Amino acid sequence: MKKFFYILFLIFFAAGQAQVMLEVKTAKKDYTENDDITVTISLEISGRDLVQETSLKMFDLSKFDVITNGSNRNTFIDQKTGVFIDHKFYQFVLRPKKPGRIKIGSASVVVNDKLYYTEPFDIFVAPSEKKMADNDANDVFLNVELQKTEVYENQPTVAVLKAFTRNIHNFRKVRNIRLPQHDNANILPVSFAKSDIEPSLDHAASQVLAIYLIYPKESGRLELSPVSAHISSKKNTIVSNKVNLRVKELPDDAPDHFKNAVGKFKVQLSHRAEGKAELQKPILIDVKISGVGNFENLEIPEISKSADYTFFPPKITKNTTVNETGIKGEIIASYVVIPKKTGKLDIHAGPFSYFDPAKHEYVDAGKQTVSLEVFTHSEILSSRTPLERVNEYSNTVLETVASPVVNTEVLKVKEHNSIKWSTVLLNTLIFLTVIVLFFLFRYFQKTNKKNENISTLPPVTTVQEKEQEIKSNLKADINDYFYYLKKIHQKKDYDLFFQTVEEMDQEVRNQYFQNSEQDFKVFLEKHQGQQTADEYRKLKQQIQIEKFAPLHDEEGMDALMEALIKLYSKISK
């Protein structure tokens, strides 16, 4: 009996010395839509005989936006029991993508061929108060959506501001939109043009009010203030939701000369010397950076110092535009350089590199160099031809010597007292001859025109034949439209694309003498069937959705192009 208790004691002692604890927990179970959810995962392995064979498998994160995450690991020996303990700690800050009941799934790990996992549990995310309230009886609320919630430093993300309401007349009351400001980010408006009103969930309607770019300057978590707007008057103000952006640090393998350029750039060094460069005479040297990226805080490489020339601080010229891809354009630093020696002169600009977020790597543009041949003033004069010297001397005289004032006399025509009758008779004869020739020409012209009208009388046609002829003349050449739309689609000029689609639709409707889209739908239903009319209605809806989308997906535009060709080929026959 004592031996039995001794064996049980050893089993419980071993179990107490070697164990695995895995736990997933949240601070609470009820949240609102804009709350951050902190999920803590703790894994503790006690005992040297236990070996973790797989990495920790996380629960499904597809229903959340990951704001940030981190981990920590501690290994130590318990002073009381002398047991080796390996403690791993994981923490995630999540933002739910939509309200409702969300399941926090199981986390699992395999230790010594045994699977350990946690029990799943549910949390409840309620809609934000702005979506549940009526916003002071106006029934309008604002919402900001980010195209990307995780970017690098100085990499932009597109923000779209939408208004939602159950009464579409309230959209006209929204005015004086104010974008947020932040010390660690540049906020650049792209467009304040309102889109078409679109239906949404819960019988509400939505409209895009503004599109803007967010350029974060520093890594870390960035929380931007809400966008504000007025409703009808300045006294009634509504605000949007706050947006959180996770800004990643740039990789550590940056070149030594890397500053802060993020995007895709091209560097050029050129000169604007007219003719031959002359010693001790100024020359303009341009350092130009073109492309797409953070032009707002871009550092331009400087001209390298040299004993062969001197230069002055540059004049900066910026020519950029803001669109949904970022800031696009060029920035030019113009230097005044004065050569101090003759012969070949090499002017260098400092090295330049940038980080390409699309490729997740640094690109070294290298050093730029421009070469000139510098001459003395006498060498330039001796190389000129005699004609060039005369022209230069003449220009110098005209510019420096005062021109004399020339006195002019008033010339008077002497009057003739006698008349030359021979001249008068000759002029009269010429005048009469011209008149006779003119009337003869008009007579033959009328005779020929009358004969042509008699010989070319149009054939007699019926009213139905005339109507069919008019229809054939009005018929649009649909294949030309298809060819032109494909070319525009390849160039991604979507404004011109949708404008051409509207012109094509108008031409096809004119072919059937239908002015409005509604009348054309009734016409198609009557003559080509209900299915064709439904296809036309769905295609028009698809055109409107793609036309006013913040970003045009290439697959969606390909599908739209295919649908256009299929339907309009059918209805234009």
Side-chain angles (χ1 to χ4, degrees), residues 348-360:
H348 305 280
F352 180 80
S353 61
Y354 61 90
F355 179 75
D356 189 345
K359 298 181 179 179
H360 306 283

Side-chain angles (χ1 to χ4, degrees), residues 259-261 289 294 297-301 352:
K259 301 297 183 183
N260 61 341
I289 299 179
N294 56 322
N297 58 344
L298 188 66
E299 293 189 22
I300 308 175
F352 180 80

Side-chain angles (χ1 to χ4, degrees), residues 113 145 162 165 220 241 276 375 383 421 469 473 484 546:
D113 295 329
E145 299 175 0
K162 284 187 176 182
T165 183
N241 57 308
K276 296 182 178 179
F375 302 90
S383 63
W421 289 104
E469 179 183 356
N473 291 333
Y484 186 52
E546 289 293 340

Side-chain angles (χ1 to χ4, degrees), residues 8 59 123 198 229 275 292 320 349 380 397 400 445 486 555 570 573:
L8 288 178
F59 57 89
I123 61 172
E198 298 180 359
V292 180
T320 58
I380 294 176
V397 170
T400 57
Q445 188 179 29
K486 289 179 181 178
E555 295 182 357
K570 179 180 179 182
K573 291 181 179 179

Side-chain angles (χ1 to χ4, degrees), residues 185-244:
N186 288 328
I187 311 296
L188 304 175
V190 175
S191 173
F192 284 102
K194 294 183 179 181
S195 69
D196 286 351
I197 299 173
E198 298 180 359
S200 184
L201 299 176
D202 301 328
H203 305 288
S206 66
Q207 185 179 47
V208 176
L209 301 182
I211 301 175
Y212 58 96
L213 294 180
I214 302 174
Y215 269 92
K217 299 178 184 178
E218 297 180 359
S219 60
R221 182 183 176 186
L222 182 65
E223 183 179 74
L224 292 174
S225 302
V227 179
S228 64
H230 293 143
I231 296 292
S232 297
S233 64
K234 294 183 179 180
K235 296 181 180 180
N236 197 353
T237 303
I238 58 174
V239 295
S240 71
N241 57 308
K242 294 182 179 180
V243 292
N244 290 280

Side-chain angles (χ1 to χ4, degrees), residues 243-267:
V243 292
N244 290 280
L245 186 63
R246 185 189 175 194
V247 185
K248 300 183 292 186
E249 291 186 1
L250 297 177
D252 296 332
D253 57 339
D256 295 335
H257 51 269
F258 174 77
K259 301 297 183 183
N260 61 341
V262 176
K264 194 170 184 179
F265 301 98
K266 181 181 179 181
V267 185

